[in-house]
Amino acid sequence: MIVAISRFRPAPEEADRLVARFQARTRAVDGYPGFLGLEVLRSFERPPELMLVTRWRDKASMRAYFQSEDFQRAREASAQQEDATFALYEVVGT
């Protein structure tokens, strides 16, 4: 299993708007082969840090979604976060 994590700290005035947008997401990714789930996490700090955690069966499934029009639309609709980081992890134990 592959876990992709994006983390960023939006401007204080943007945090609530972004959380509401994630809660109302279209769920287009949910139907992609190999997609196992998404969690949106918010820290208790002010301003909060947000983390998007997606789980995929394998890299090929994740890569196919990242190359899709659905992903491009979602990315274009996202606010650009200058301090955003992205990392991939392989689950090696549970």
Side-chain angles (χ1 to χ4, degrees):
M1 180 185 344
I2 301 297
V3 176
I5 300 175
S6 297
R7 62 191 308 164
F8 57 95
R9 190 174 304 275
E13 63 275 7
E14 293 291 311
D16 289 339
R17 183 186 66 78
L18 283 171
V19 167
R21 201 184 99 235
F22 289 128
Q23 290 171 336
R25 70 187 182 87
T26 64
R27 301 189 180 277
V29 67
D30 295 14
Y32 274 80
F35 177 75
L36 302 175
L38 164 70
E39 288 80 37
V40 180
L41 308 175
R42 175 178 52 196
S43 71
F44 289 104
E45 302 165 325
R46 290 289 170 226
E49 179 179 65
L50 298 178
M51 290 178 55
L52 305 177
V53 180
T54 57
R55 291 175 281 106
W56 298 89
R57 180 182 57 230
D58 51 41
K59 280 185 183 179
S61 298
M62 183 192 66
R63 202 172 295 123
Y65 172 67
F66 284 177
Q67 294 172 351
S68 74
E69 289 182 19
D70 286 327
F71 176 74
Q72 295 308 318
R73 278 192 293 275
R75 189 171 182 176
E76 288 169 6
S78 296
Q80 295 297 320
Q81 301 297 322
E82 292 181 19
D83 65 341
T85 62
F86 178 79
L88 288 178
Y89 299 87
E90 178 182 19
V91 176
V92 294
T94 59

